[in-house]
Amino acid sequence: MKLVLPDIPPMLQAMIRSMGALPVLFIVGTLRGVKFFERDGTWQAGVIAGLMFGVEFVLIYQGIRFTLASRAVVFLYTAPFFVALGSYQVLGERLSGTQWLGLAVSFAGVALAIGVPQADVDAKVLLGDLMIVGGASLWAATTLVAKSTRLRFAAPEKALGYQVAMSIPILGLAAYLFGESITHQPSPLSLTLMVFQAVWVVGTTFTLWFALVKAYSASKLSAFTFITPLFGVVGSYFIMHDNLSLAFGAAALLVIAGLFLVNRPSPVVQAPADALLKVTKT
């Protein structure tokens, strides 16, 4: 996104990305036998997820205009906490104290890797922070909707298709309201990166994400998103030529340790299965 910004404004980027991803989802889904237009009772949840998906990216892209990038990343990755809280209320999933500690440790690793933000902020920065947190909460809510409604029975391409399709008019309206326009011919690099965003980022990795959401614990799976900003730091070194500090190694260890704690098997959960196995053997 940062490399394309000189040629294409953020809301238009997001809209074009969704427009490019939609046919990718349709082609891949059709090849896999997905019935996109079959009446399966998923459209209500799909529309709700799509509305949240669109507004989520409006908040994130606009919020980053007011706050620092480091603060934006840290606040965006509060999403796993919202997922954990929502999973307890909606899905009946409950994290143990050790798993909550794991989330906290991983979040500390993210903050360390990106750089702990400075405390001196003004009202505009706080507004940006609030918008990013709002985007994170909608990210979490979309995950919970996909897990707790009939969307969980839909193919990943169809579940994501609702969201991508709904996001196009939302992002287009946001681009119009914020006065965005493309004033010159985008460079070949920008066009290539837009294809990358549409085909790989949204069309492929987002689809894989929703496939995983359907199969695994939402709260535990969401914790793995803490790895994303670490890849961002490494990418900034090789692509943007930013310097990496020694703190990155410590941050990586914190993230890995946190993920281990979150996904560590619970002795309480394992005990009944062990007891059942002994009874069966007897």
Side-chain angles (χ1 to χ4, degrees), residues 15 54 72 81 85 90 97 105 126 136 165 182 191 203-204 215 227 231 262:
M15 183 189 72
F81 292 95
L85 290 172
V90 179
V105 170
L126 291 175
I182 300 176
L191 294 175
T204 304
I227 298 175
F231 281 113
V262 169

Side-chain angles (χ1 to χ4, degrees), residues 212-231:
L212 292 170
V213 165
K214 290 172 59 178
Y216 296 97
S217 164
S219 55
K220 292 184 180 181
L221 180 64
S222 185
F224 278 92
T225 59
F226 281 117
I227 298 175
T228 302
L230 298 182
F231 281 113

Side-chain angles (χ1 to χ4, degrees), residues 17-32 34 36 53 155-165 198-208 210:
R17 183 180 73 167
S18 291
M19 292 175 64
L22 197 58
V24 174
L25 293 172
F26 184 76
I27 292 171
V28 174
T30 301
L31 293 175
R32 292 204 323 115
V34 176
F36 285 95
F53 185 84
E157 295 89 348
K158 185 171 184 176
L160 182 59
Y162 282 118
Q163 298 167 65
V164 173
V199 176
W200 176 251
V201 175
V202 180
T204 304
T205 65
F206 280 23
T207 305
L208 292 173
F210 279 98

